[in-house]
């Protein structure tokens, strides 16, 4: 599975847009990019998944450039409750089944 | 639909003992994966079960084992506990393992 690199931590203020970038230089052709969110003492929660260009759902957007060597998770107008660790994962479910490889994640702190 | 449930939520054991953790997946989900989370190593994949068969395995010693029953419920066992086994153990279920994984709240194991 492709290794990912993300910032260890980020700070933001309520109401701002937060962009977290993930590098995955060795991404394979059939790899998808997935982001999970984790609050303290809870299991991770799926946020969004994409393959290329842009994906948007009710909580976030995922931007993937043409070369797919990086991706950016965008959280619009964050609130205090968005304080959490965000994980970027790259891989294919086709030959890995239920195996997720988590990196160190980005600890996002949202301040009032 | 009920989420993934894990029992017990908290457990205290002493070195040398063994422990069994239980996970009930979301109804209809056939894949169950187990993860260990520690402050030092982060989230690490232990193993995945699908249709009562271990399909994927992480890099953990043989003291860590698991099984899955015909109703998809899963258990993991850790024998000869060591201090370093203290961690949050997370279980995740998905339809086939090739989809979004839904995590349970975890079992907090403390080894004294």
């Amino acid at each position: 599975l492709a290794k990912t690199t993300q910032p260890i931590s980020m700070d933001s203020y309520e109401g701002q847009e937060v962009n977290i970038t993930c590098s995955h230089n060795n991404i394979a052709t059939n790899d998808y990019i997935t982001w999970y969110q984790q609050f303290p003492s809870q299991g991770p929660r799926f946020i969004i998944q994409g393959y290329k260009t842009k994906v948007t759902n009710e909580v976030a957007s995922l931007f993937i450039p043409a070369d797919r060597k990086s991706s950016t998770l965008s959280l619009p107008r964050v609130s205090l409750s968005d304080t959490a660790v965000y994980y970027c994962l790259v891989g294919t479910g086709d030959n890995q089944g239920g195996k997720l490889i988590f990196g160190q994640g980005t600890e996002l702190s949202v301040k009032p | 639909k009920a989420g993934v449930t894990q029992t017990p939520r908290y457990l205290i054991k002493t070195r040398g003992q063994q422990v069994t953790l239980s996970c009930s997946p979301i109804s209809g989900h056939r894949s169950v994966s187990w993860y260990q989370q520690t402050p030092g190593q982060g989230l690490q994949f232990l193993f995945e079960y699908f249709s009562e068969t271990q399909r994927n395995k992480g890099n953990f010693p043989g003291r860590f084992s698991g099984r899955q029953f015909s109703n998809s419920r899963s258990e993991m066992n850790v024998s000869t506990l060591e201090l370093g086994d203290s961690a949050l153990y997370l279980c995740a279920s998905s339809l086939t393992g090739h989809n979004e994984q839904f995590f349970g709240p975890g079992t907090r194991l403390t080894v004294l």
Side-chain angles (χ1 to χ4, degrees), chain A residues 84-103:
Chain A
V85 178
Y86 292 82
Y87 294 96
C88 164
L89 292 82
V90 174
T92 172
D94 292 342
N95 59 11
Q96 292 296 329
K99 177 179 179 179
L100 298 178
I101 305 299
F102 288 85

Side-chain angles (χ1 to χ4, degrees), chain B residues 13-16 80-87 109-112:
Chain B
K13 293 285 187 179
T14 56
R15 278 183 300 174
T80 319
L81 284 166
E82 301 176 359
L83 294 179
D85 296 333
S86 293
L109 172 65
T110 301
V111 182
L112 303 175

Side-chain angles (χ1 to χ4, degrees), chain A residues 32-51:
Chain A
Y32 279 78
I33 300 153
T34 310
W35 287 79
Y36 278 78
Q37 173 194 55
Q38 186 179 27
F39 298 111
S41 298
Q42 293 186 27
R45 183 176 71 104
F46 173 92
I47 301 176
I48 197 166
Q49 183 182 70
Y51 183 80

Side-chain angles (χ1 to χ4, degrees), chain A residues 36 38 41 43-44 46 87 93-94 96-100 102, chain B residues 33 35 37 43 45 48 55-56 90 97-98 100-101 103-104:
Chain A
Y36 278 78
Q38 186 179 27
S41 298
F46 173 92
Y87 294 96
D94 292 342
Q96 292 296 329
K99 177 179 179 179
L100 298 178
F102 288 85
Chain B
S33 300
Y35 298 83
Q37 186 169 30
L43 264 163
F45 172 79
E48 181 221 5
R55 185 164 64 175
N56 281 292
L90 293 158
H98 301 159
E100 171 186 349
Q101 290 195 21
F103 283 79

